[in-house]
Amino acid sequence: MSASYDADLALFVDGAWRAGEGRETRPVVNPATGDAIAEVPLASTADLDAALAAAERGFKIWRATDAGARAAILHKAADLIRARADAISTLMTREQGKPIAEARGEVISSAQMFDWFAEEALRHYGRVLVRPTGQRSIVIQQPVGVVAALSPWNFPVYLMAKKLAPALAAGCAVICKPPEETPGCTSAIMRCLEDAGLPKGVAQLVFGVPDTVSRHLIASPITAKVSFTGSVPVGQHLLRLAADGVKRATMELGGHAPVLIFADCDLEKTLDMVVPQKFRNAGQVCVSPTRFYVEEAIYEDFLAGFAARTAQVPVGDGLDPATRMGPLANGRRPGAIERLVDDAKAKGARTMAGGERMGNQGFFFQPTLLADVPNEADIMSNEPFGPVAVSRSFRDFDDAIEKANRLPYGLAAFAFTENGRRANLLGDAIEAGMVGINSFAISGADTPFGGVKLSGFGSEGGSEGFESYTVTKAIHQA
């Protein structure tokens, strides 16, 4: 193991850190080298039962805690995250592979999440209904209870914070199950909450075999809500488990984001925006722009400009400041991407840039652009979750909308046009939970984030995300 990896990996249960001694462990791998750098302890059934019992006790304390006191702790945690941002982002890059600048941006965004929801705890008002004199009817929101928060490896800190911050602000207790690939950076966030003064038992952190952990937590009568970010098949599986106990659930599932490029856009400016976004986090982004539909008049110019920029993307170890795209996060991804690319080429796609694995160590794949990809290619229906852009031309507005909406997914979509009326029509016609027009800025602390169709339901972020951790109660007094 690398001596320079200094994360203290352990489970956090009932206000105490439980080390790996006597527990099954799993290696933590640096995706830039393929080398193991640490071992993460996996929670036993006894650990999960202890976490559930602690969360049940912690919820009773936390829900009764004044909103101002809850807010102060969340603000303090945000301050600590910012103060430790360099160390946390370095851990993230070692574990996940993304460039260090992207990792630091994720950490800072996570701190903003805690700050915003700290204030939302103070802004969340009920309603007083109109009734005859002497009668009162009020509507209030109360915390839902103990939450199982299951988050993925592509944005390990931000997506955990996106569940933790609103749940804690609402007065819930939380059991976090972040990814086993990135235990160091996620543990560092939990230490910030601990050092900020979060009461014992209010938040737990467990790692383990995902199916084992999710089944155990969801089956428990202590768990009141499940919040999951991940793939559609896993989300469907978790919803079936949650249905047995009629558990509340928020599901942020996969997407396959279309990008509509109209001929009246500023093409050079658009290309300067879309290429970095496509290869951000090596394309391992649930809202990554992927299916590029380009108006016929500018299609070949778009391909030439995209391919030239793609060939210039610096790829390497994320700790190198010059790197703009790091490795894929685990050893499974290069092979999966290679199969999708080879299938598309076999079915008639043109390779405009990239298309192959890179190097003889680590999990690298070239930034790739495929043109004229037929709908029959697997990659046109299955989210690649990697550094591959696929493209086709379209004739007119109706053709573009038909292509954008052809899949059973609807997480995010993007469009580029200088025509104001067309922009309004696009916002209405595209079937997605989030639409960016001439912009990729669709995620923020104050912004609802979620999809339609198979991309899930419910929202994270914004007041909608806060409300998802509450239950509505009407109180009538005569």
Side-chain angles (χ1 to χ4, degrees):
M1 302 302 170
S2 171
S4 62
Y5 187 90
D6 57 1
D8 182 13
L9 302 183
L11 313 174
F12 185 65
V13 177
D14 201 12
W17 293 91
R18 301 184 175 194
E21 289 82 359
R23 292 179 173 83
E24 182 183 354
T25 61
R26 177 175 293 180
V28 181
V29 175
N30 182 341
T33 64
D35 296 333
I37 54 177
E39 297 281 341
V40 58
L42 305 185
S44 65
T45 299
D47 289 323
L48 297 176
D49 286 337
L52 285 161
E56 186 176 36
R57 293 191 299 271
F59 174 56
K60 294 176 182 177
I61 296 169
W62 191 240
R63 71 173 299 175
T65 301
D66 178 76
R70 294 201 303 266
I73 289 173
L74 296 185
H75 278 310
K76 178 62 175 175
D79 291 341
L80 290 171
I81 291 169
R82 277 187 284 267
R84 301 171 186 179
D86 289 343
I88 297 172
S89 57
T90 299
L91 282 172
M92 190 191 307
T93 295
R94 294 287 311 279
E95 296 174 325
Q96 199 270 351
K98 67 181 60 181
I100 189 67
E102 290 185 22
R104 196 174 196 285
E106 180 177 339
V107 174
I108 297 302
S109 294
S110 300
Q112 293 169 349
M113 192 71 66
F114 281 100
D115 271 335
W116 195 86
F117 279 106
E119 293 301 309
E120 189 69 1
L122 305 177
R123 291 190 292 257
H124 199 64
Y125 313 119
R127 288 188 292 141
V128 179
L129 307 181
V130 177
R131 291 292 183 269
T133 300
Q135 298 180 25
R136 288 290 182 271
S137 289
I138 64 173
V139 181
I140 63 173
Q141 268 73 44
Q142 295 181 309
V144 66
V146 174
V147 176
L150 314 174
S151 52
W153 46 258
N154 57 329
F155 290 92
V157 166
Y158 184 71
L159 292 179
M160 189 175 83
K162 207 170 192 178
K163 302 176 189 302
L164 256 176
L168 293 176
C172 297
V174 188
I175 303 175
C176 292
K177 208 297 287 183
E180 287 66 43
E181 290 91 340
T182 57
C185 58
T186 49
S187 294
I189 296 299
M190 191 61 72
R191 289 189 180 278
C192 290
L193 282 166
E194 179 190 22
D195 294 344
L198 191 70
K200 180 180 178 180
V202 175
Q204 332 290 322
L205 183 78
V206 298
F207 301 97
V209 178
D211 187 55
T212 300
V213 174
S214 59
R215 283 182 184 274
H216 197 86
L217 294 181
I218 295 172
S220 171
I222 293 172
T223 302
K225 173 178 175 170
V226 182
S227 180
F228 171 72
T229 300
S231 71
V232 172
V234 174
Q236 291 170 321
H237 167 66
L238 296 181
L239 281 171
R240 295 186 190 102
L241 296 178
D244 287 339
V246 196
K247 313 280 186 181
R248 291 173 177 257
T250 298
M251 294 282 143
E252 193 264 279
L253 307 180
H256 202 315
V259 189
L260 306 183
I261 310 290
F262 288 87
D264 66 348
C265 76
D266 182 331
L267 184 57
E268 293 301 311
K269 180 180 177 181
T270 298
L271 286 165
D272 287 342
M273 294 176 66
V274 300
V275 173
Q277 280 294 321
K278 172 64 255 182
F279 302 118
R280 179 172 71 105
N281 200 18
Q284 300 167 125
V285 183
C286 56
V287 296
S288 180
T290 298
R291 292 180 292 138
F292 288 85
Y293 297 116
V294 186
E295 196 165 0
E296 290 173 345
I298 61 168
Y299 181 54
E300 292 299 332
D301 289 340
F302 174 86
L303 291 176
F306 199 116
R309 288 166 173 80
T310 298
Q312 298 301 314
V313 175
V315 181
D317 190 325
L319 292 175
D320 183 344
T323 293
R324 291 297 174 268
M325 192 186 94
L328 296 168
N330 58 61
R332 304 183 300 274
R333 299 308 306 151
I337 299 300
E338 187 174 49
R339 287 188 292 273
L340 288 171
V341 170
D342 288 348
D343 172 78
K345 290 193 291 187
K347 292 174 178 174
R350 289 188 286 158
T351 303
M352 305 298 295
E356 298 179 352
R357 298 194 194 202
M358 293 181 63
N360 55 12
Q361 69 171 9
F363 312 137
F364 292 93
F365 198 93
Q366 292 176 333
T368 298
L369 171 64
L370 301 178
D372 306 335
V373 185
N375 286 337
E376 294 73 25
D378 290 345
I379 200 169
M380 291 300 283
S381 298
N382 298 303
E383 182 181 20
F385 219 64
V388 183
V390 296
S391 58
R392 290 176 62 87
S393 64
F394 68 81
R395 296 184 307 277
D396 53 27
F397 182 90
D398 290 340
D399 186 33
I401 294 299
E402 181 181 357
K403 285 178 165 61
N405 292 341
R406 62 175 287 270
L407 295 181
Y409 309 108
L411 187 59
F414 307 95
F416 290 82
T417 179
E418 293 300 312
N419 184 305
R421 176 162 177 76
R422 179 186 290 133
N424 288 334
L425 294 172
L426 286 166
D428 287 340
I430 293 174
E431 297 171 355
M434 299 164 288
V435 178
I437 299 176
N438 299 327
S439 174
F440 289 105
I442 62 172
S443 178
D446 61 350
T447 305
F449 190 102
V452 298
K453 300 193 284 190
L454 287 184
S455 291
F457 59 85
S459 294
E460 294 186 320
S463 57
E464 295 84 356
F466 184 95
E467 290 169 0
S468 75
Y469 292 97
T470 67
V471 291
T472 301
K473 178 183 286 185
I475 303 173
H476 306 280
Q477 181 179 347

